[in-house]
């Protein structure tokens, strides 16, 4: 059988190896100069005033919720079609994630549903730029509540006004796990405009220590959510080739659109609306209703193609059912999409031959050769 095609694959070259080696040889592996250098370069890239590097996207989301004032007994309106981290962080901060259904086309939080979910306990809105597609921000901002954007999947995306995701002023969180548009192995970045937020996040990621304090004194409670210099140096090297990697993903996406054109009943990722731009992260298709998602994934696996259910609805996961009493039927758009969605192999260096093999395998599995 021909070589198995993986779901994701990072682009790591000599520049990344050298950057990491330089840090290893410098002797300063953490709390060193690579951290602010990475933060400043990243903030500039997305057009934000500040950025704080953190140990993961999840850590960034949690610190951002705290920074905008989410606390005990609050409600946070968010999307049920996301990676579970965006809901988990609300629970970690003792707030309740209140889900609202998604737009059937873009799969991001439906602003009307979000507005209807707001109560006097709502202390923040947490839109998720899912699969790299930017949420419809203007109507969410019109609700007048603090916003924390989950941009973990959306580096390179642009909002309807043409500006880069992450530069709107609200805290926006990016993730650098190895399947993301750029990687630091594990890691994340929070971008925002307010200096007070910078002080708070930088302190809370470092056990509650203020920048002018030594390690014996800490003026608030904090975590260890720091990102090492090794990771930040890797991030800087990745940032330098981000455009090339984004272009590789875009090329892979166009090959998929060509290769899957005309497959009956198959829903492909929506095209960009107006000036909105997707920051390509995954290529997720929705299978025709009569096809079982898990059986399709198994059949593709037998043909040497890795794929994954992406994403299951959060409110129907065991913990959320048990803890919050969620059940089927609450968010019908999300549930229908989640039941039929699979992520296909997708990475910047995918060859046209690999995309063709995936498309042929999917057509064969769906009986449409
Ligand atoms: C939408 C979304 N939110 C949050 C996260 C969490 O990021 P991390 O895995 O870096 O903690 C991810 C990453 O997988 C994600 O895709």
């Amino acid at each position: 059988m021909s070589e198995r095609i993986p779901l994701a694959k990072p682009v790591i070259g000599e520049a990344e190896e050298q950057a990491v080696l330089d840090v290893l040889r410098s002797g300063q592996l953490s709390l060193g100069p690579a951290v602010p250098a990475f933060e400043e370069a990243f903030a500039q890239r997305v057009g934000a005033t500040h950025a704080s590097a953190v140990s993961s996207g999840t850590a960034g989301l949690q610190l951002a919720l705290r920074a905008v004032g989410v606390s005990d007994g609050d409600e946070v309106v968010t999307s049920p079609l996301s990676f579970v981290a965006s809901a988990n962080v609300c629970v970690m901060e003792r707030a309740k994630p209140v889900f609202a259904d998604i737009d059937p086309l873009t799969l991001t939080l439906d602003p009307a549903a979000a507005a209807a979910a707001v109560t006097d306990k709502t202390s923040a809105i947490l839109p998720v730029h899912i699969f790299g597609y930017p949420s419809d921000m203007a109507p969410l901002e019109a609700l007048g509540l603090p916003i924390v954007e989950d941009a973990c999947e959306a580096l390179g995306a642009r909002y309807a006004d043409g500006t880069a995701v992450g530069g709107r002023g609200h805290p926006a969180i990016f993730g650098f796990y190895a399947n993301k548009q750029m990687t630091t192995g594990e890691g994340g970045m929070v971008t925002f405009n307010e200096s007070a937020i910078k002080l708070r996040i930088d302190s809370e990621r470092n056990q509650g220590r203020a920048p002018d304090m030594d390690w014996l004194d800490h003026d608030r409670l904090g975590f260890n959510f720091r990102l090492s210099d090794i990771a930040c140096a890797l991030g800087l090297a990745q940032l330098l080739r981000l455009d090339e990697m984004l272009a590789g993903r875009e090329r892979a996406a166009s090959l998929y659109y060509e290769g899957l054109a005309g497959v009956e009943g198959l829903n492909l990722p929506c095209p960009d609306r107006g000036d909105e731009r997707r920051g390509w992260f995954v290529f997720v298709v929705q299978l025709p209703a009569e096809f079982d998602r898990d059986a399709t994934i198994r059949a593709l696996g037998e043909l040497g193609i890795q794929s994954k259910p992406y994403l299951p609805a959060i409110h129907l996961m065991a913990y959320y059912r048990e803890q919050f009493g969620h059940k089927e039927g609450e968010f019908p758009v999300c549930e229908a999409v989640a039941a039929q969605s699979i992520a296909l192999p997708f990475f910047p260096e995918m060859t046209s031959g690999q995309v063709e093999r995936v498309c042929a395998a999917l057509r064969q599995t769906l009986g449409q050769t």
Side-chain angles (χ1 to χ4, degrees):
M1 192 166 66
S2 27
E3 211 180 311
R4 183 168 165 275
I5 306 180
L7 204 51
K9 193 165 163 249
V11 181
I12 300 290
E14 277 177 23
E16 284 80 1
E17 289 175 9
Q18 191 58 52
V20 168
L21 204 55
D22 288 347
V23 174
L24 293 177
R25 288 179 176 159
S26 77
Q28 174 111 42
L29 307 192
S30 59
L31 290 169
V35 181
F38 182 34
E39 290 174 340
E40 280 157 31
F42 196 91
Q44 196 174 10
R45 165 82 201 198
V46 302
T49 312
H50 299 289
S52 290
V54 286
S55 54
S56 68
T58 309
L61 284 164
Q62 191 174 349
L63 293 182
L65 284 182
R66 295 169 69 88
V68 302
V70 170
S71 68
D72 303 60
D74 288 354
E75 293 179 355
V76 177
V77 174
T78 190
S79 170
L81 188 77
S82 176
F83 181 59
V84 69
S86 53
N88 281 352
V89 289
C90 303
V91 183
M92 286 297 177
E93 287 305 313
R94 303 160 311 282
K96 180 181 178 194
V98 172
F99 299 112
D101 215 343
I102 56 169
D103 178 281
L105 207 62
T106 67
L107 313 184
T108 58
L109 194 56
D110 174 349
V118 169
T119 71
D120 56 4
K121 287 191 184 156
T122 309
S123 63
I125 312 285
L126 200 170
V128 182
H129 306 313
I130 199 70
F131 310 152
Y133 201 87
S135 304
D136 188 2
M137 294 307 295
L140 295 176
E141 286 164 352
L143 298 174
L145 286 156
I147 290 184
V148 169
E149 296 176 46
D150 183 338
C152 284
E153 302 194 349
L155 184 54
R158 292 191 172 270
Y159 305 108
D161 66 3
T163 61
V165 161
R168 217 167 171 86
H170 328 285
I173 294 86
F174 296 86
F176 304 136
Y177 179 69
N179 64 346
K180 294 295 193 299
Q181 286 92 336
M182 58 168 272
T183 185
T184 58
E186 296 280 1
M189 188 73 82
V190 191
T191 61
F192 44 89
N193 285 353
E194 255 182 72
S195 323
I197 293 188
K198 175 85 180 145
L199 285 176
R200 175 146 184 192
I201 289 183
D202 287 4
S203 167
E204 289 192 344
R205 76 176 170 189
N206 191 24
Q207 306 288 5
R209 191 195 312 171
D212 54 353
M213 281 177 161
D214 74 29
W215 67 276
L216 290 173
D217 204 3
H218 296 252
D219 60 358
R220 54 157 68 89
L221 199 59
F223 306 85
N224 177 356
F225 284 165
R226 297 188 301 264
L227 192 63
S228 74
D229 276 52
I230 305 171
C232 287
L234 179 52
L236 267 169
Q238 288 269 284
L239 203 51
L240 285 178
R241 61 156 92 204
L242 179 60
D243 285 328
E244 159 207 325
M245 295 192 292
L246 289 173
R249 285 183 192 265
E250 203 161 332
R251 188 186 46 82
S254 346
L255 291 170
Y256 268 125
Y257 280 119
E258 272 172 43
L260 295 174
V263 178
E264 227 170 283
L266 187 72
N267 250 331
L268 303 182
C270 72
D272 292 340
R273 265 187 327 202
D275 289 333
E276 288 172 350
R277 289 290 169 274
R278 187 190 295 271
W280 279 102
F281 164 55
V282 276
F283 199 88
V284 172
V285 298
Q286 291 164 49
L287 301 171
E290 65 276 23
F291 281 88
D292 180 76
R293 178 193 63 192
D294 299 336
T296 306
I297 289 172
R298 281 194 297 277
L300 288 173
E302 280 158 22
L303 295 167
I305 312 292
Q306 193 186 14
S307 61
K308 198 171 161 185
Y310 206 80
L311 282 157
I314 298 176
H315 66 288
L316 299 181
M317 292 182 178
Y319 174 81
Y320 285 89
R321 284 179 188 261
E322 282 161 25
Q323 200 66 23
F324 299 100
H326 287 300
K327 50 188 178 334
E328 276 88 0
E330 283 180 85
F331 308 107
V333 182
C334 166
E335 290 167 28
V337 170
Q340 295 307 108
S341 288
I342 64 173
L344 299 175
F346 192 67
F347 44 92
E349 291 176 336
M350 249 188 124
T351 64
S352 51
Q354 286 177 315
V355 176
E356 274 165 32
R357 255 188 68 203
V358 179
C359 295
L362 186 57
R363 283 175 180 274
Q364 181 183 330
T365 305
L366 300 179
Q368 295 191 41
T369 44

